[in-house]
């Protein structure tokens, strides 16, 4: 991965590119990588970007490979926590990754049957969260699963600890916190991710053969294509507030804390 935080790296990469006599560099990674890829392209190097991150937050593509695998892992963890939450009559707060975007929290929370899903794009109201938990308790369900994105803005270092403490204090229901962390980033990739990686990699090869540089391969709908790196660099793809999963989840009674 190329780190765009180091302003010297593009120049170092440029020198190595020239010294090694390279004809093209394929930059595989997330937002930071694609931003640096654009800088390298501006320096005159032949660059092709490939979006890879579990966060699914790269602008210009519907999907990044790594996302589906992370969602599968997070969903399985949520599935496993349901029985503990129910048997011990507790609220379980599950923090998932995603950097500043709520893609993993939304998709895993919905797939795993979470009762409350909190993502940065929507913000939250603690009163609404507690109201949902108490409402469930009043109908014989003194347990809840709360899935939160790590980028949730709470003004604290740990959003899950903040939310857990606030819930326990307001409701009197015991709360346990689970932070999945880097476990979401490892392991065997899902078949879906493997196929997306194959498609994107193949198209990157086609672009190189055609000498169509300065572009990032992407998935848009069912089609594989490419976009200019200038359209991608420095941008983040966040969850739209009117995303269909949010609409349908709300219709099903899932709280998004607003």
């Amino acid at each position: 991965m190329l780190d765009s935080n180091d302003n010297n790296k593009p120049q170092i990469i440029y020198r190595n590119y020239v010294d090694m006599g390279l004809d093209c560099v394929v930059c595989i990674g997330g937002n930071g990588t694609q931003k640096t890829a654009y800088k390298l392209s501006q320096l005159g190097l032949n660059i092709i970007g490939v979006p890879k991150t579990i966060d699914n937050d790269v602008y210009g593509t519907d999907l990044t490979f790594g996302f589906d695998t992370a969602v599968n892992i997070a969903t399985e963890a949520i599935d496993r926590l349901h029985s503990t939450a129910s048997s011990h009559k507790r609220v379980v707060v599950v923090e998932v990754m995603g950097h500043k975007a709520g893609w993993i929290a939304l998709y895993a929370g919905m797939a795993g049957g979470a009762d409350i899903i909190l993502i940065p794009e929507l913000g939250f109201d603690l009163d609404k969260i507690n109201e949902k938990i108490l409402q469930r308790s009043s109908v014989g369900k003194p347990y809840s699963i709360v899935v939160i994105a790590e980028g949730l803005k709470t003004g604290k270092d740990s959003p899950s600890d903040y939310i857990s403490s606030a819930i326990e204090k307001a409701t009197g229901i015991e709360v346990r916190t689970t932070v999945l962390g880097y476990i979401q980033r490892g392991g065997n990739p899902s078949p879906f991710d493997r196929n997306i990686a194959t498609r994107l990699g193949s198209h990157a090869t086609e672009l190189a053969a055609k000498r169509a540089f300065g572009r990032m391969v992407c998935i848009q709908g069912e089609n594989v294509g490419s976009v200019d790196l200038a359209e991608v660099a420095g941008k983040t793809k966040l969850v739209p507030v009117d995303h269909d999963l949010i609409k349908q989840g709300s219709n099903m009674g899932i709280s998004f804390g607003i």
Side-chain angles (χ1 to χ4, degrees), residues 141-163:
K141 297 178 179 179
Y143 60 90
S144 296
I145 299 289
V146 183
V147 175
I148 73 172
E150 66 177 353
L152 191 71
K153 297 178 178 65
T154 62
K156 305 293 181 180
D157 291 337
S158 172
S160 55
D161 286 347
Y162 173 79
I163 295 295

Side-chain angles (χ1 to χ4, degrees), residues 82-127:
H82 273 282
S83 57
T84 296
S86 176
S87 63
H88 291 277
K89 298 180 174 57
R90 291 171 176 161
V91 173
V92 175
V93 174
V94 188
E95 180 183 313
V96 300
M97 297 182 80
H99 199 47
K100 295 180 180 180
W103 293 104
I104 296 176
L106 175 60
Y107 274 69
M110 287 294 296
D115 304 297
I116 300 170
I117 301 171
L118 305 178
I119 62 175
E121 293 86 345
L122 294 177
F124 66 94
D125 181 334
L126 277 173
D127 289 338

Side-chain angles (χ1 to χ4, degrees), residues 10 14 36 67 70 111 142 144 168 175-176 230:
Y14 179 87
T36 303
F67 173 63
S144 296
E168 191 164 270
V175 181
R176 289 291 183 270

